[in-house]
Amino acid sequence: MASLRPGDPRRVGPYRLERRLGGTGRVFLGRSRDGRPVAVRVVRGEPAGEAGFRRRFAAEARAARRVVGPRTARVLDADPAADPPWLATAYVPGPSLRDAVRERGPLPPAEVTVLGAGLTEGLAAIHGAGIAHGGLTPDDVILAEDGPLIVGFGAPRARDAVGSPPFLSPEQAGGGPVRPATCSPWPRCWCSRPPAAARSATARAARSSTASSTATPT
């Protein structure tokens, strides 16, 4: 966690914000009026102004509230009409998977097995509510005391967002649709260098993004 910076909101909806969670400036540790800790995800920038974004946000937030399972953070509240839109989930103490791998290196096989089982259970609960996470990265996994929990679902991505190339599924890297079967390879969880398939997917995604941004209108 890090201190709030100048320009960060101090209050979102009924929640008083206290700290940053992660370095993106989009997720904050907040407190409800009764002192309960919550994680507040704020949507900043262009996506909030995208046509249809708030409608999709409202639909996904409603679906996310139906997600029930021990491997997911419970969605508590959301306001797609706010400026900026936000979504609040139960706060789960613990490092993100990214931070754990950065500090300790690749996870040992036994921990990878526990991680895989927990993520499978969590994604099944999310998919059961009709949601495809669509952007699952190690930042979206918290290593809690009782096992991994998935966070970061319930708020839609911008329609043209490519995602994080090292963690794209093959269909995302190829420009295909995001659906419940879409998952990420996450090679950095168990090796120090992404395998050839993941490096190839990253390269294809980068080429696709570059081509889209430089294409000449017809």
Side-chain angles (χ1 to χ4, degrees):
M1 289 190 287
S3 300
L4 296 177
R5 299 178 186 175
D8 285 342
R10 264 49 184 179
R11 180 172 290 275
V12 169
Y15 304 105
R16 176 172 52 84
L17 305 188
E18 297 180 346
R19 309 275 291 179
R20 283 185 168 215
L21 297 176
T24 64
R26 295 184 177 90
V27 186
F28 302 89
L29 173 64
R31 295 276 174 183
S32 63
R33 292 189 179 97
D34 62 2
R36 177 179 52 178
V38 297
V40 181
R41 181 177 296 269
V42 176
V43 179
R44 293 181 170 181
E46 294 299 323
E50 182 185 277
F53 178 85
R54 292 176 187 270
R55 184 174 61 253
R56 289 187 290 122
F57 194 139
E60 289 200 23
R62 284 195 300 270
R65 290 184 182 182
R66 299 196 299 268
V67 176
V68 178
R71 302 272 66 90
T72 58
R74 181 167 168 252
V75 174
L76 303 173
D77 198 0
D79 189 351
D83 185 18
W86 56 268
L87 180 140
T89 64
Y91 171 64
V92 181
S96 70
L97 178 59
R98 183 186 297 275
D99 288 341
V101 172
R102 182 184 293 125
E103 293 175 7
R104 296 165 42 197
L107 302 183
E111 291 188 31
V112 172
T113 299
V114 172
L115 174 67
L119 296 184
T120 299
E121 184 176 358
L123 287 171
I126 294 170
H127 298 164
I131 302 173
H133 194 293
L136 191 62
T137 75
D139 288 315
D140 297 312
V141 177
I142 302 298
L143 301 183
E145 287 188 0
D146 62 347
L149 275 82
I150 299 176
V151 300
F153 60 93
R157 301 169 62 84
R159 288 194 183 278
D160 60 352
V162 174
S164 300
F167 308 106
L168 292 177
S169 65
E171 53 266 47
Q172 283 177 295
V178 175
R179 54 186 184 274
T182 298
C183 60
S184 302
W186 284 15
R188 294 185 189 275
C189 295
W190 56 82
C191 64
S192 59
R193 186 166 183 258
R199 295 198 301 273
S200 177
T202 299
R204 288 197 302 272
R207 288 197 298 270
S208 175
S209 178
T210 301
S212 298
S213 64
T214 58
T216 302
T218 56

